[in-house]
Amino acid sequence: MDAISPDFTEKTKKILAKMASERCCLCEEITSIPNSSDSNYVRIGEAAHISGARKSSDLRFIENLTNEDRKNHTNGIWLCSNCHTTIDQDEIFFTIDKLHKIRAEHYQRIRNGRYSKSSFTKIDELNAEIIKLNQKIKDKEKLLQQSDKIFQIEITDLRMKIQNLIQQKEKLWEDYNSILINIEQADQFDEIYRLVFEENNLERALEYLSDDKLEKEEKKLARQYILKADIFKLQNKKEAAQYYRKAYAVHQSFNVAKFYIRYLDDIRNFNSLAEFMIEILETGLNIEDRIALNGQLGTIYSKINPDLAEKYYKTAINLIDQKIEHDPHYYTLKAGFLNYLGASYKNNNNLVAALSACEESLTIFISGKIPLEDKEIVFYELAALYNTIARIYILNQNYVEAEQYVHLAVKIAKEKINDEGELLATIYINFCSLFNLSNSTDNKAFVEIVDQTISIFTALYEKNPLQFVEKLVASHCKKAEFSFALNHIEEFHHHLAVSEIISQQFVELHQKGFEFLLSEIYIRRASFYIISGDSKMASEQVDKALLYFENSQFNDSDTISKYASLSLLKCRLTDNRDQKKNLLVRVKQKMKPFINNNSTSLYIYNEIQQELKKI
């Protein structure tokens, strides 16, 4: 008989606890906590034998092992007291191989940094860096009051660096929290297999395979795919799309589909987004989800194909009419979709139909049928409607009516809505469009408005760069246009320089999809040099803008129209016939998918045809 005790020594127990990072290998709970005196600790962890220590009735006992082998740390697993009891009372399930696997997986989690605090250390470092940069901003702002506007560019650069650090910090938090999300790891396939093929307990097996449980398994797998896709998205990897699609394939619900919809919208892949939404529409959706999807498709196609935008907005409105008698809240939704339909008609140059749709929307607002439980939503939609009507009147060159509706929209946005200024700033852009169009001579008022617009979008951009970078750059470009029109050339160059800094850093941070931001700036510089009579510099700026357009993905008719217009301008700035022809032929091919009967793209396409005939 072996005289050596099979029990673990205190040294072995400490080794097992340290190897497990003082956590239970099964449930991952911490197994050491401070006691009430704060001078010692309470240990609730225990060293458990994988192969049993003594024969008795232990199913995991191996006869030919020596006691030296049984007390070795390689035969041990660190567990909390509850899990120790669990494995000893269910030796059929917790076999020797199963326990070795559980221990190995726990050790691997430790090696992978599951319990590392490096994220917190990095976050502290980023917070310290943010504090330093904010202090620099304060110092620069003090100097700005006494010195030249050149410091404004430096302040913008510092804010961009802060935003980058904040995004890094948020990404660390998201990565850390994603890793700690409680995803069930045990699947019960082995247990079901045993019930069927070893015990012939088919009824019990079917309980495990009930429809409710299978659906839960589908949802669980879909959540895992979504989590993996979210991690790839944080890493800017294209594999994110693959796993969002897998999630939807496993569990085809609208809630799962929304994750892929949001991803495609974020990366501005409007064509793929529209295709996916049409695919979802062909599944069995309830009427509320069909209304939402048709409305979203209308919004997407307003960027790609105005004719199709009208179709989907009309479908959404028809579906709303089926619900409106039973729920008066749908009146608000219908009024909003009529506004969007009017905007779509406007984009398609059908201004009569646009005004008619907006007037029908306005009729709903003044009919008294809309419930006022949520007044802010009603006022938001009404202000947006007045803004659309103003834009239609601007295009109709009726600037007096346009100004009246802009003032109405501004009044509601200021007095009735609390949306951090997003709608107000959007309305202000319409207000700015009246500059140099109407007979107004109050240039100071227009300058103040565009300054307010920049201020609002700067604050919104700092909170959500992805959503507001385009509007922030557009507002700086608008201020540059004002400055040029007022012959404030230094200020013109200043605002374009600020826009360029924001755009370049944003393009570097997010890679493809946002090059058009820089092209807008180069287009304005080209216009300046053309008016100044410097064709060489104008041509250089046009080349820069074209380069960014060439590198971007064409997902909407507006972008391709700007690219085509710029190509025509380049042709008029060069005398080389071969260069002209090659450029226009290339543009013509890229434009073909975006041509529809009433679009701006068709007008420019015909111009390119005429230019090619001249060559």
Side-chain angles (χ1 to χ4, degrees), residues 116-133:
S116 170
K117 297 297 183 290
S118 59
S119 293
F120 294 110
T121 304
K122 184 64 176 174
I123 287 168
D124 288 340
E125 292 173 0
L126 294 174
N127 279 331
E129 187 67 18
I130 289 168
I131 290 169
K132 287 181 185 177
L133 292 173

Side-chain angles (χ1 to χ4, degrees), residues 383 385-412 427-447 449:
L385 175 63
Y386 283 145
N387 192 44
T388 302
I389 294 172
R391 189 66 193 160
I392 293 168
Y393 278 123
I394 289 173
L395 294 174
N396 265 327
Q397 299 182 358
N398 188 340
Y399 305 125
V400 175
E401 288 284 347
E403 195 161 350
Q404 288 179 2
Y405 278 101
V406 167
H407 279 297
L408 282 170
V410 169
K411 181 177 174 61
I412 293 174
I427 296 166
Y428 278 158
I429 290 175
N430 254 1
F431 218 134
C432 295
S433 298
L434 292 168
F435 182 74
N436 280 350
L437 293 176
S438 67
N439 294 323
S440 174
T441 56
D442 190 2
N443 294 334
K444 183 180 178 182
F446 281 110
V447 171
I449 286 170

Side-chain angles (χ1 to χ4, degrees), residues 454-517:
I454 291 171
S455 176
I456 291 169
F457 281 134
T458 299
L460 291 169
Y461 170 80
E462 288 173 357
K463 293 182 179 180
N464 191 337
L466 197 64
Q467 185 176 348
F468 292 103
V469 64
E470 187 174 351
K471 290 183 177 179
L472 176 59
V473 170
S475 59
H476 274 293
C477 287
K478 182 63 71 175
K479 182 60 183 289
E481 290 173 10
F482 277 20
S483 301
F484 182 70
L486 296 171
N487 205 29
H488 298 163
I489 305 304
E490 185 179 344
E491 199 166 29
F492 165 80
H493 287 298
H494 163 75
H495 281 282
L496 287 186
V498 171
S499 298
E500 191 169 10
I501 290 171
I502 296 170
S503 301
Q504 282 179 335
Q505 294 186 353
F506 201 87
V507 168
E508 289 170 8
L509 191 63
H510 293 280
Q511 301 175 351
K512 297 288 184 184
F514 292 89
E515 295 88 349
F516 68 93
L517 294 172

Side-chain angles (χ1 to χ4, degrees), residues 225-241:
Y225 280 139
I226 289 169
L227 175 59
K228 192 165 185 177
D230 283 343
I231 293 170
F232 280 133
K233 180 181 174 183
L234 288 169
Q235 296 173 333
N236 290 321
K237 291 184 177 178
K238 62 183 180 181
E239 288 91 338

Side-chain angles (χ1 to χ4, degrees), residues 149-328:
K149 286 186 178 179
I150 191 67
F151 288 115
Q152 187 63 45
I153 296 177
E154 295 184 37
I155 290 171
T156 301
D157 188 40
L158 289 169
R159 283 196 173 120
M160 284 294 299
K161 288 178 181 177
I162 289 173
Q163 187 58 50
N164 195 2
L165 292 173
I166 289 171
Q167 287 181 333
Q168 288 182 44
K169 187 177 80 169
E170 288 175 349
K171 183 176 177 182
L172 282 170
W173 273 116
E174 289 180 25
D175 286 344
Y176 185 76
N177 288 330
S178 294
I179 291 169
L180 295 181
I181 286 177
N182 182 20
I183 299 173
E184 298 176 9
Q185 293 180 349
D187 84 33
Q188 296 169 331
F189 183 80
D190 290 342
E191 174 66 9
I192 299 168
Y193 188 92
R194 184 180 65 78
L195 287 169
V196 175
F197 295 101
E198 293 180 18
E199 296 186 10
N200 197 30
N201 191 342
L202 304 185
E203 289 185 4
R204 180 65 175 152
L206 285 173
E207 285 180 24
Y208 278 102
L209 295 170
S210 69
D211 289 347
D212 286 344
K213 287 187 177 180
L214 288 176
E215 186 174 356
K216 286 179 183 176
E217 289 299 311
E218 286 177 2
K219 290 179 180 177
K220 171 183 157 187
L221 183 55
R223 286 198 302 269
Q224 291 176 2
Y225 280 139
I226 289 169
L227 175 59
K228 192 165 185 177
D230 283 343
I231 293 170
F232 280 133
K233 180 181 174 183
L234 288 169
Q235 296 173 333
N236 290 321
K237 291 184 177 178
K238 62 183 180 181
E239 288 91 338
Q242 172 189 346
Y243 282 95
Y244 284 126
R245 286 290 314 196
K246 280 188 175 183
Y248 181 69
V250 167
H251 189 72
Q252 292 190 355
S253 70
F254 189 41
N255 286 333
V256 173
K258 286 177 184 175
F259 286 91
Y260 189 40
I261 289 170
R262 182 187 62 191
Y263 170 75
L264 291 173
D265 192 46
D266 284 347
I267 64 171
R268 303 174 63 83
N269 192 340
F270 301 126
N271 286 315
S272 295
L273 180 54
E275 289 172 5
F276 181 57
M277 284 185 166
I278 291 169
E279 176 187 334
I280 298 170
L281 269 178
E282 294 174 356
T283 62
L285 296 175
N286 60 42
I287 192 167
E288 291 83 2
D289 290 341
R290 285 164 62 203
I291 289 169
L293 268 180
N294 277 282
Q296 286 178 282
L297 276 165
T299 303
I300 293 164
Y301 277 116
S302 66
K303 301 178 177 72
I304 304 171
N305 187 326
D307 289 332
L308 285 175
E310 293 165 18
K311 169 192 167 183
Y312 285 106
Y313 281 138
K314 287 176 181 177
T315 302
I317 292 168
N318 289 334
L319 290 169
I320 288 169
D321 284 337
Q322 297 176 31
K323 300 279 292 183
I324 209 164
E325 291 182 5
H326 308 289
D327 187 348

